[in-house]
Structures are given as C-alpha cells and as structure tokens.
Amino acid sequence: MKKIRIIIYLCFFLISLSVHGLTQELPSNQECRHCHSNPNLKKVLTDGRVISEYVDFDLFYTSVHKKQACVYCHIDATNFPCKNLRKVNCQRCHYKGNLAGAPDLIKYKEYGESVHGRATALGDVKAPMCQDCHGSHYIFDKADTLSRTNKEHIPQTCGACHVNIYSVYKISVHGEALRSKHILAAPSCADCHGEHNIKEHIDPKSKVFLTQVSVTCARCHANMELIKKYDIPVEPVETYRESFHGVAIKFGAKTVANCSSCHEVHAIFKSDDPRSSIYVDNIPKTCGKCHPGASENFAKGKIHINPAKKEAGIIYYVSQFFKYLTLSVMLALIIYIILDLRKKLIVKRKGEE
Amino acid sequence: MFFSKKKKELEPKVSLDKLQGEIEQEIWDDLTKDLSLTPHLKEEIKKLVKERAREELQKELKDRYAELREEKVEIPPLEEKKKEEVMYPRLSLDIRIQHIILMVSTLILIITGLPIKFHELAWAKFFFSAIGGLQVSRILHRVGAAGLIGIALYHLLFLAFSREGREIFRELLPRPKDVKDLWITLNYLLGRKREKAKFGKFTYIEKFDYWAVYWGMVVMVLSGLILWFLGTALRIFPKFVADIAKEAHSDEALLATSAIIIWHFYNAHLNPEKFPMNRSWLTGRISEKEMEREHFLEWVEIQKQEEIVAEKADEGKVEEQKG
C-alpha cells in the first residue's frame, strides 16, 4: 500500500509540475507588465536608434485588443528577458474564416499591390506594415478620436514618415480645415491617395495619376452639397473638363495641366492667399511651368469659365451672340428650304394633272 | 403579248376615265340645254347617261384597236433621246481649284475640330483612337488651317490682281436687287405671286454663300491664329482675349458647319433640281436649261452679245463681198 501511495503522490507531483511548466511557458500580461510599465524602458537598435519599450497598459486595456494577451501577438516572447522579438504579424488572427473572431475585412490584397506593400515585399524595412499606420498596442476603431486612423489623425500618421509633405499639408487650405477647423469633409491624405491601395503617382491605377486627378478632386469639388455648405467655388471641375486642358488630358495628352499642375499638389491655398500658386501675382510663374515666357497677361481674365453663365463676363455675351446668330440663321435657312421644297411639290403635282 | 403591252401604254386608265367624263358631260349638256328637271328625274337621267357613255366609249375603243391592228402603226418610243444641250462656261479652272482647296481644308478642319467641341460624345473617343491620338488630330487641324489661310490669301490676290477676279467681285457685291429678288421669291414660294425672280450672274443664294464664307473666314482665322500661337498672342493680349477667341472659334465652327450641312448641301446636292449634285464645280459649265432658270438675265445678255457678234460677222462678210 505504501508503494501505491508513493506512486500516487509521485503522479500528483508530476502532473502539478507539468501544469506548472505549461503555464510558465506562456507568461501572463501581468508578467510583461513588470518591466514594460516602466516609462524609461528603452532599447537601442542595431542602427543606433533608441526606441521606447514602454507600454501604457491602462490605455491598452481600452483598445480593441484589450482581451488579448501580449503573447498572442508576441508569440516569440516566451523567455525572460525577451530579446530580439520579431515584428508582429497581424495575419495570424486577421484572416478570412479565423476562429478567434478577429475582423477579417483586412485588405491585405490591396495593401500587397500598393506602393507600401511592394516595398515591404522587396525587403524595405522602412516601408510601413499594418502596425505602422494602425498602431501597435493602442488600436481603436477609426471613429474613436484616439485612433491613429481617425480622419483627423491620418495626416500625422502618414506624416510620421512623410515629414516634408506633412509640414506643407498642415498649413494648406485642406490641412487647416481638417486640423484647425475640424471640418471632417476636408480631405486627409487617404481621401486623395487611398487607404490600403496607395499607388505611386506615376502608376495609371493611382488615384493621383495625371488623368485621375480631376476625378479625385471632383469627389468633393463637384459635389453640390459640399460646395454649398463650405462655399467652395462652383463648377471648377466641370469647366476644367470643358477647357482644352481637360479635353486634351481625356484623349491621352501627357503634357497637359491637371488640377494640381496649377493648384499645387499639397501646398493648396485659397486664390486670395499670397502663398497660393494661383494668387494673381503668382499666376505667370505657375502658367510659365508649361507656357514658357508667360507674362502677367495670363492673369488678366478668369480661368474657370462657364460661357453659359453671366459670371463669365464678356465670354458669356460672345457665347450668347453666337447662340442666337446660329439659331436665327439656321431657322431662316430651314424655313426657306421647306418653303422651296413645298413649292416644288405643288408645281410637280399641278404638272401631273 | 407585245401588242397588249403597247395597248396599255397607249390608253392609260387615267385618260380613259377622263374621256368617259368628257363624253358624259357632252351628252348631259345636249340633253338638258333647255329643260328644268326635278332632282329625282335628274339622278335617273344621269344614270342613263353614264351607261350610254360607257357603251359608246367601249365601241369607240374597239374600233380604234381594230384600226391599229390592221395598220400596225409604228409607235414612237416613249423617251425621246435627249438633245445635246448647249453648255455655258460658269467657273474657270482657277476658281474650281480654289473651291476644291477650300473644300478639302474645311473638311479636314471640321473632321478634326468637331470631336474637340463634342468631346463628351462616344464618337469623339472613337475618332481620336482611330486617327492615332489627339496630337495627330491637332497637326492635321493645323494642316487644314494652313490650307484655309493660304487659299484665303490667294483669293484676295486673285480678286485684286486678275481681271476675272475683279469682274466676279463686282458681280458678287450685294445690291438692292438681291433683297428685291428675295422678296419676289418668297412671294412666289408662298403662292402669292406667279412670277419668279430673274437673276443675273449670281443669285442672292450664291452671294449669301460667298459672303458667309468671308465672315466665317475672318472669325475662324483670327481666333484660330490666337489659339495656334497662344504664347505669342498672350504676350500682346490679356488672357480674356484668348478666351473670347476660344469661344468664338468653337461657336463659329458650329455655325459654319451647320450652314454647310443644311444650306450648301441643299443648294448644291439635295435640291431635287440638283440631285445628286451640281456638277459645275467639276466641269465648270452650266446647261442652257439651268442658265435659263437660274441666271435668266445673264443668259439674255449672253444671247444679245452673241447676236451682236453674229451681226458684226455678217456685216464683215457683206463688206468682204463688197470689197
């Protein structure tokens, strides 16, 4: 009996030992917190950069991943001290049909074809992956103002890498409206460049490819609701498409102006702002980019002209003159022809009788 | 078969009915010359007369056919051979070549220009892809423009320095008679008057066509040059001048094209008298019939001169004989 007792004790011991061993292999969040709640925890990278390894656990517990354990993502963090961890792969949970219940709307395919995805695939370590835009520990729904992908925060998110562009964008009319005036209808980076499907501007599929610029701008600048609400100049896109610039670009001309050729790409300002490329004094320089030797004569007259409207000034009257001239002349000629044919028919009938 | 076919041609149904009507009328007139009849009686007599007329007509026809059968009358062919018409010179070779260059240039300009004006239509896209792009079309448009400007300058020199040109220009100048002619023609067309207008060398239609081209030419060439040499033009003029040029170029293009399609096509092609086309632009000549109908006064003038020439020739002969 003693032997049996010893064996049973031994079994309990072994079982408890193995259970203990299993739980030890997956450290709990509490264990990570021991070190990572220290704001001064830092790491020196091989290239000399110093990055913080501090995690704000209180903030993390309000994020969408609040119920996840650290080790679910940092799967290689099994030993202490956890050194040289690899970058987290979001696809471990976020794939179609996953059992963890993670959202599967992730646009990996669009991302893979985008300029960022391609660079990543080619081994560019600077190219952004999911966590570079969406954040790592503090991911929130994009409606949440804490989210990095919240509309108002997108410029900063992109600006983390695209510093020069961000510094220009934030003072532009679009950046001011979005960031200072909190007008959510104003475009962030993603509204013009796309989100996961960002392409280079020389890619014909890009939303900012030279033939696509007017389409992209038109989403807001030909939207009557927005135009009325924010007092944006009426019909710039329509008049552009009617102009020779618009017609030429439509039929494949490569060296013709699109919206951003004149209004600038990111440094877009109102026309009465001296910083604007279309401020009256800057027009010769702006037009001169394509029309060498453009003088101040280029600024004497409106640019976006709709000849059917009175605002077009003298163009309106020229257009009206020709409209009525054409109508009246054609009407008179057609009436004459009808009378002539009618008379010929009468004469012919009489002749037969 | 042969005969029966001829028979039908000789006595078409229309004339048979007409003939019967005439005979009926004759008999009726004879019967009712001095009578006053009641309506009922009138109807009855009318019926009788109708039957009688039919009988007589049949008899008459039978007799005639019998005659024809015996005599085997030769029936003249229905269509007489057209006599060789006298032709008058109308357009000199010089003018014909000018017209052809004008026509070709204008066609090129219309074909390459309209797709820009109506760029939203599907065929604009089709046209540009077919021709090899907007750039090719633009070059062709300028080739057309060069042709048009060239022929315009040549025409001005032609008017100024050639005898023919000066004479034609004098004839083409608008006169009060043109307004009068138009008024007469309108009255004629509306059936108010029976007389037609009599025209000299150029009708008001031709004059309108000619001067319309002048107006179009001035607008299109001036505005076109501004658009062609935009950089240079904007060194001299403010931008709104170029905008006016663009608007005018586009609008006048439509006016000119409509005028060609509606007015010129009607007068030179679709008009039943000209269909399928007035061949003068190729042959340079005009038939006597057309001359009489459309340029009566000129025709009379030519005939007078011919008579004078003939008389002079006769006098010359007489003198020779005397000599």
Side-chain angles (χ1 to χ4, degrees), chain A residues 238 241-244 246-255 291-305 307 314-316 318-323 325-327 329-330 332-344 346-347 350 353, chain B residues 18 115-117 119-121 124-126 128 133-135 138 182 185-186 188-194 204-205 208 215 219 230-231 233-241 243-244 246-249 251-252 254-256 258-259 262-263 266-267 270-273:
Chain A
E238 199 43 48
R241 286 187 186 147
E242 288 296 321
S243 77
F244 188 72
V247 175
I249 208 163
K250 183 175 169 187
F251 295 115
K254 295 275 189 295
T255 53
H291 300 273
S295 64
E296 63 275 13
N297 276 342
F298 275 75
K300 289 177 188 160
K302 288 178 181 164
I303 308 277
H304 289 281
I305 302 161
I314 190 164
I315 318 294
Y316 166 78
V318 172
S319 151
Q320 291 296 306
F321 165 74
F322 275 103
K323 184 174 149 194
L325 180 70
T326 308
L327 281 177
V329 170
M330 289 309 128
L333 295 182
I334 289 170
I335 288 172
Y336 185 95
I337 290 171
I338 289 170
L339 286 178
D340 195 42
L341 284 171
R342 176 179 154 269
K343 185 69 187 179
K344 286 198 165 83
I346 292 169
V347 171
K350 271 191 183 169
E353 279 169 19
Chain B
K18 217 173 152 191
I116 292 177
K117 185 170 173 67
H119 57 88
E120 66 278 0
L121 300 182
K125 203 172 182 188
F126 170 77
F128 286 123
L134 182 73
Q135 288 303 327
R138 286 176 80 193
L182 177 63
T185 309
L186 285 177
Y188 167 74
L189 292 180
L190 290 167
R192 284 198 214 150
K193 282 181 185 172
R194 289 192 159 252
Y204 58 83
I205 292 175
F208 175 79
W215 155 254
V219 175
L230 188 68
L234 281 175
R235 236 161 264 150
I236 308 162
F237 307 112
K239 182 181 172 287
F240 68 84
V241 172
D243 293 334
I244 292 169
K246 197 211 164 202
E247 187 59 33
H249 200 75
D251 290 347
E252 171 61 28
L254 187 65
L255 173 54
S258 321
I262 293 174
W263 187 238
Y266 178 71
N267 287 313
L270 302 177
N271 186 330
E273 283 164 8

Side-chain angles (χ1 to χ4, degrees), chain B residues 160-208:
Chain B
F161 296 111
S162 84
R163 214 181 128 220
E164 188 197 2
R166 281 196 297 266
E167 272 171 18
I168 283 183
F169 188 72
R170 222 172 289 131
E171 291 281 352
L172 277 164
L173 285 173
R175 291 195 180 81
K177 181 182 180 301
D178 297 319
V179 182
K180 233 175 10 198
D181 284 348
L182 177 63
W183 181 246
I184 293 169
T185 309
L186 285 177
N187 276 322
Y188 167 74
L189 292 180
L190 290 167
R192 284 198 214 150
K193 282 181 185 172
R194 289 192 159 252
E195 59 161 336
K196 282 188 191 177
K198 293 186 176 71
F199 301 108
K201 189 165 176 67
F202 295 112
T203 65
Y204 58 83
I205 292 175
E206 288 158 323
K207 288 187 185 181
F208 175 79

Side-chain angles (χ1 to χ4, degrees), chain B residues 4-54:
Chain B
S4 66
K5 207 176 171 187
K6 286 269 162 72
K7 191 168 77 185
K8 261 183 192 167
E9 280 167 1
L10 268 174
E11 299 291 345
K13 206 172 172 267
V14 187
S15 63
L16 263 183
D17 289 348
K18 217 173 152 191
L19 205 58
Q20 186 172 347
E22 274 170 20
I23 294 170
E24 268 172 39
Q25 192 63 42
E26 224 169 81
I27 298 170
W28 177 257
D29 286 348
D30 270 352
L31 280 172
T32 55
K33 216 184 265 168
D34 331 295
L35 290 175
S36 51
L37 297 166
T38 60
H40 177 69
L41 211 54
K42 243 182 191 172
E43 282 302 308
E44 235 162 59
I45 291 173
K46 248 186 188 169
K47 258 186 203 166
L48 286 172
V49 166
K50 225 175 199 174
E51 271 171 31
R52 180 76 195 283
R54 195 172 294 148

Side-chain angles (χ1 to χ4, degrees), chain A residues 53 61 67 81 97 118 131 136 151 171 176 185 190 193 209 217 225 227 244 270 276-277:
Chain A
E53 295 210 310
Y61 285 127
K67 284 180 184 163
R118 281 187 183 178
Q131 52 269 52
S136 39
K151 188 158 184 180
I171 55 166
E176 285 269 303
H193 293 276
F209 185 63
C217 297
E225 251 176 58
I227 283 171
F244 188 72
K270 284 188 176 180
S276 171
S277 60

Side-chain angles (χ1 to χ4, degrees), chain B residues 87-91 96 99-100 103 201-203 205-206 209 263-291 293-295:
Chain B
M87 300 296 275
Y88 291 86
R90 177 134 185 95
L91 301 168
R96 272 179 280 156
H99 174 254
I100 286 171
M103 182 187 83
K201 189 165 176 67
F202 295 112
T203 65
I205 292 175
E206 288 158 323
D209 261 8
W263 187 238
H264 192 63
F265 266 49
Y266 178 71
N267 287 313
H269 299 275
L270 302 177
N271 186 330
E273 283 164 8
K274 306 285 181 194
F275 192 81
M277 70 171 172
N278 181 350
R279 296 179 62 84
S280 296
W281 73 284
L282 289 173
T283 61
R285 293 181 304 165
I286 183 171
S287 70
E288 185 163 32
K289 214 168 103 190
E290 281 172 296
M291 199 70 181
R293 189 176 60 219
E294 285 161 30
H295 308 287

